[in-house]
Amino acid sequence: MRKETRIDMVERAFKLLDNNDTTRVDDVYLSPVASYTCKDWLALEQDILFKDYPQLVAFSCDLPKAGDFITNDDLGVPILIVRGKAGDINAFFNTCRHRGAKLANGCGRAQAGFTCPYHAWTYDFTGDLKVLPDQVSFPGVDKAEHGLVKLPVVEKYGMIWVCPTAGKDFDIDAQLGGLGEGLVEDLESYQFADYHPYTQRRMHCKMNWKMMLDTFLEPYHFAPLHPTTVGPLMYHNLCLLDTFGQNLREAVIRKSIQKQRDQPKDTWNIVPDSALVYLLFPNAGLVMQRDHVELWRSYPVPGKPNECMVQMDYYIPEPAETQSAKDHWERNMDLAVRTVLEEDIPGVEGIQVGLSSGAISHSTFGRNEPALIHFQREVARAIGRA
Ligand code: FES
Ligand SMILES: [Fe+2]
């Protein structure tokens, strides 16, 4: 984050605190319950948001060496992402050109390439077909034309995006609100390529995929829902919001920010005394904490508006090599787990039951929930339901 932004955001936070205020938009927003319960609405989201848009699939540090690969089955198509020998990144359908078997599962480090478990067609890290056993039985089948089907992929700012539709190239800077704009500058400054994956969690939740992100988009729930976890550390119902196209940056403020009042303005810095939530449209919530970063991704379950798959990846600045480092990060993780897994998710699953009951026709988002409103509005707009 640029120095001027770090200072400016502290100044904005102090102003809101002094006035017992928060960032407010002009009006309440009525969000139709159908956006969380309707199968047609979900089908539109899947077709548009999860097929046409670049998807954040990994941090660069998840794939540090040649041959490192991950697979992704959360986007409706099987995807294989691998780092090549020249350090480049490649993405393909995880689908053999012979008869369609899945080439790889999970994640790992491949030695020379990918050998299909079914009949052993073998591909290199660029997707080229290198070995076709009993080639005499495949007259007219040119190996050069039977490489893996590529998907558009971009690695930038220590992050990797893939579009799950072949041929649909994308401009990630434009999607992030523009080159030189605040969001791109922030991402660049954090140097995620130098982070280390610490741990991850996957959860099948009984709620609409958007609700997982909603829970990060307002601190209006901090005091009631988190009285013993993050509630005592953060200001309740106080946020800063900046939007960048369909994306946003929301800062929720730690009470520890008060100590900066006594420090020269030139040294003010929002980063250590806030949690910065970036909503990277459509489905990634990046939470910059003072000492680590969490990536929360939420994926729809086809045909089931009231279910989702959630993946949380937890990255740390230095590898945890000693026991005391491991203990430190376990304690740190525990707060995130207790807050989100034991408080937010059960709370939000309760909301899903309420919305699915038909009791109400719309949710009422307050003027003090501007990030939530921005997200819902952008989703509705993107699928033509605004
Ligand atoms: S399906 Fe892959 S080699 Fe036959
Ligand atoms: Fe929460």
Side-chain angles (χ1 to χ4, degrees):
M1 180 182 284
R2 277 196 0 225
K3 184 177 176 190
E4 306 87 88
T5 313
R6 283 187 257 139
I7 295 171
D8 173 64
M9 289 180 76
V10 174
E11 192 163 28
R12 286 161 63 194
F14 283 153
K15 203 171 193 179
L16 292 172
L17 279 164
D18 292 343
N19 294 319
N20 198 15
D21 201 359
T22 184
T23 305
R24 291 194 174 86
V25 288
D26 291 342
D27 250 316
V28 295
Y29 178 82
L30 303 184
S31 166
V33 163
S35 76
Y36 295 102
T37 60
C38 168
K39 285 186 183 175
D40 295 341
W41 188 294
L42 180 73
L44 280 172
E45 290 174 339
Q46 286 196 271
D47 274 359
I48 297 169
L49 305 181
F50 291 90
K51 290 264 184 290
D52 289 351
Y53 279 76
Q55 307 288 323
L56 179 55
V57 290
F59 273 21
S60 301
C61 60
D62 289 310
L63 304 154
K65 298 246 165 61
D68 286 348
F69 71 90
I70 58 167
T71 59
N72 183 309
D73 293 316
D74 291 318
L75 291 160
V77 293
I79 298 173
L80 170 61
I81 299 141
V82 61
R83 189 168 298 286
K85 291 207 166 113
D88 51 331
I89 203 87
N90 299 303
F92 317 102
F93 282 100
N94 188 7
T95 302
C96 181
R97 289 296 301 274
H98 176 216
R99 283 169 48 201
K102 208 173 196 183
L103 290 163
N105 286 296
C107 60
R109 182 167 296 161
Q111 288 312 314
F114 296 96
T115 298
C116 181
Y118 221 115
H119 315 90
W121 286 30
T122 298
Y123 306 84
D124 69 10
F125 298 151
T126 67
D128 287 349
L129 177 60
K130 290 297 184 191
V131 180
L132 194 171
D134 191 17
Q135 184 149 18
V136 72
S137 295
F138 293 84
V141 174
D142 182 357
K143 284 214 301 251
E145 286 173 7
H146 286 75
L148 297 176
V149 178
K150 289 187 195 307
L151 290 169
V153 59
V154 169
E155 180 172 36
K156 213 167 180 185
Y157 313 122
M159 308 165 101
I160 299 169
W161 284 268
V162 170
C163 184
T165 301
K168 202 154 183 84
D169 291 328
F170 57 88
D171 175 345
I172 196 60
D173 290 319
Q175 174 56 35
L176 293 171
L179 202 57
E181 295 300 321
L183 176 54
V184 164
E185 287 180 340
D186 284 11
L187 296 180
E188 189 163 29
S189 72
Y190 296 138
Q191 301 187 307
F192 291 137
D194 297 334
Y195 273 68
H196 299 265
Y198 175 65
T199 190
Q200 54 183 209
R201 296 274 194 286
R202 272 181 78 80
M203 291 146 275
H204 183 174
C205 299
K206 292 203 164 84
M207 61 193 181
N208 185 270
W209 69 273
K210 296 188 291 299
M211 282 192 189
M212 186 66 234
L213 301 160
D214 291 353
T215 193
F216 291 106
L217 297 181
E218 45 81 12
Y220 181 39
H221 74 278
F222 278 7
L225 196 64
H226 303 306
T228 61
T229 49
V230 295
L233 305 174
M234 319 290 288
Y235 283 107
H236 170 67
N237 198 24
L238 167 60
C239 70
L240 306 180
L241 175 69
D242 297 285
T243 61
F244 308 92
Q246 294 167 305
N247 315 278
L248 65 87
R249 175 183 63 210
E250 172 209 38
V252 291
I253 309 300
R254 291 176 181 271
K255 292 178 180 168
S256 58
I257 201 169
Q258 292 294 356
K259 70 181 181 304
Q260 295 198 38
R261 286 194 194 264
D262 304 328
Q263 293 162 4
K265 187 170 172 185
D266 189 52
T267 66
W268 284 0
N269 184 0
I270 195 71
V271 179
D273 289 317
S274 66
L276 293 162
V277 176
Y278 295 87
L279 187 279
L280 305 182
F281 195 84
N283 75 326
L286 191 69
V287 187
M288 278 303 291
Q289 298 282 9
R290 60 163 61 122
D291 58 354
H292 71 274
V293 55
E294 295 159 25
L295 172 61
W296 294 83
R297 284 172 289 161
S298 183
Y299 296 98
V301 174
K304 299 198 169 156
N306 55 351
E307 292 183 26
C308 66
M309 285 304 302
V310 172
Q311 172 145 347
M312 187 273 279
D313 289 86
Y314 195 99
Y315 300 94
I316 57 179
E318 303 288 339
E321 277 158 356
T322 64
Q323 192 54 48
S324 81
K326 284 178 189 147
D327 292 345
H328 165 81
W329 290 113
E330 278 312 305
R331 282 194 303 276
N332 215 317
M333 262 293 292
D334 184 59
L335 182 65
V337 165
R338 278 190 294 132
T339 305
V340 179
L341 273 57
E342 295 173 15
E343 294 174 349
D344 285 313
I345 291 179
V348 177
E349 287 182 337
I351 290 183
Q352 184 70 49
V353 171
L355 297 188
S356 299
S357 74
I360 57 177
S361 62
H362 57 266
S363 309
T364 306
F365 296 164
R367 293 177 52 220
N368 59 340
E369 301 177 284
L372 191 56
I373 293 173
H374 183 74
F375 176 48
Q376 300 297 320
R377 191 172 265 154
E378 289 302 327
V379 168
R381 201 174 271 159
I383 65 165
R385 289 284 182 104

